[in-house]
Amino acid sequence: MISLKVISRLLDYPTEELWQHGDELIEAIEQANELPIKRAVQLVMFVREYLNEDLLDMQAQYCELFDRGRATSLLLFEHVHGESRDRGQAMVDLMAQYNQQGLQIDCHELPDHLPIYLEYLTVLSAPQMLEGLNDIAPILALVGERLKQRESRFSALFELLLELSRSEIQTSQLSDKVAAEARDDTPQALDAVWEEEQVKFLADDKNCGGEVSAHQQRFANAVIPQYLNLDEAQNLGVQK
């Protein structure tokens, strides 16, 4: 699906290459005929307005939004597994799925990064792609609502992804919950969680005889994420 590939590009870190090929993105959307006219127009307008901004400014805003705190992280497993051991195995399993489709990612990239996952979905059959989007629909809904309440333009992309997933999750029911959340991207919150995570990691390291897996080492000392209650999220479907 071309529109999914376009959204993947737009959710990735802003680069000069993207700014140079904006017209190609718009042309791809217009030729795809995959989206309702209203949604296609919205996506085209997003591309035009986004790429009309200064690249350096957008890079700074991107880092502020997606790399500061974990509430709006684009790393999918942070919203489910956090820094637990389960995340390492989930990474391995996801990489195996990528390999089965012949998808190779850069050694510096994490397989659960949303743009990479969306790229993977584009090589699957339509039913498999839909299933893959449904798998992450609760995360899309939660992160999308957080972005909406922060008045971020990117919330429109999450709304579109959720619509493409055909999920029955209603983001309106997440509004109050998200509004009541404490922000995790303030300097005070980052400092406090950093100190707490340092203590936890050192304690775990001692208890395990100093043996820490490669996955644990990679994510050690990171800010504790805001976990996603999948059971609760799945209950946010349309009321019959």
Side-chain angles (χ1 to χ4, degrees):
M1 177 178 281
I2 298 299
S3 55
L4 207 60
K5 189 179 289 289
V6 170
I7 295 174
S8 171
R9 296 289 188 272
L10 294 173
L11 285 174
D12 211 345
Y13 181 75
T15 63
E16 182 67 36
E17 182 180 11
L18 178 63
W19 256 242
Q20 291 175 349
H21 297 280
D23 290 341
E24 296 177 22
L25 291 181
I26 294 175
E27 184 178 352
I29 298 170
E30 293 174 341
Q31 294 181 355
N33 295 322
E34 300 168 345
L35 301 173
I37 293 296
K38 180 180 178 180
R39 287 302 189 185
V41 170
Q42 289 177 340
L43 188 54
V44 167
M45 291 301 297
F46 180 97
V47 173
R48 286 177 175 165
E49 293 174 1
Y50 182 46
L51 301 186
N52 192 47
E53 302 282 359
D54 179 76
L55 174 58
L56 293 179
D57 288 343
M58 291 304 97
Q59 289 175 336
Q61 289 184 25
Y62 184 95
C63 292
E64 277 290 312
L65 187 62
F66 295 121
D67 297 335
R68 186 180 178 88
R70 298 299 176 89
T72 56
S73 172
L74 295 181
L75 297 176
L76 297 171
F77 292 151
E78 286 185 353
H79 300 284
V80 181
H81 301 300
E83 304 303 323
S84 71
R85 294 178 183 272
D86 292 338
R87 180 176 182 175
Q89 185 58 53
M91 290 283 197
V92 172
D93 294 341
L94 188 55
M95 280 298 299
Q97 294 180 41
Y98 290 172
N99 291 336
Q100 288 177 0
Q101 298 298 328
L103 179 63
Q104 300 293 325
I105 67 175
D106 188 276
C107 63
H108 298 294
E109 297 175 317
L110 298 177
D112 65 334
H113 193 224
L114 180 57
I116 294 176
Y117 182 75
L118 294 178
E119 185 77 19
Y120 157 69
L121 294 183
T122 64
V123 305
L124 303 180
S125 65
Q128 290 174 322
M129 181 204 68
L130 184 60
E131 181 181 0
L133 279 176
N134 261 291
D135 287 342
I136 64 170
I139 301 174
L140 296 175
L142 185 58
V143 175
E145 181 61 26
R146 287 168 174 164
L147 291 171
K148 180 180 179 181
Q149 294 197 17
R150 296 187 187 190
E151 300 182 343
S152 168
R153 71 177 78 216
F154 287 100
S155 64
L157 298 183
F158 280 78
E159 181 180 339
L160 180 52
L161 287 174
L162 200 59
E163 183 173 316
L164 290 173
S165 75
R166 301 179 186 175
S167 169
E168 294 185 336
I169 293 176
Q170 292 186 329
T171 56
S172 60
Q173 298 185 33
L174 289 169
S175 179
D176 291 341
K177 175 184 176 181
V178 170
E181 289 178 337
R183 290 284 291 260
D184 70 344
D185 59 340
T186 64
Q188 295 82 359
L190 292 171
D191 288 344
V193 177
W194 179 271
E195 293 175 2
E196 180 181 353
E197 186 65 14
Q198 285 274 23
V199 173
K200 286 186 177 181
F201 174 63
L202 290 175
D204 291 342
D205 184 42
K206 181 178 180 180
N207 293 335
C208 296
E211 295 181 3
V212 184
S213 70
H215 285 290
Q216 286 177 303
Q217 288 178 0
R218 188 165 194 173
F219 303 117
N221 303 328
V223 178
I224 296 175
Q226 298 188 30
Y227 296 104
L228 173 64
N229 186 327
L230 290 178
D231 292 334
E232 179 180 330
Q234 293 289 3
N235 290 330
L236 294 176
V238 176
Q239 295 183 358
K240 304 298 183 182

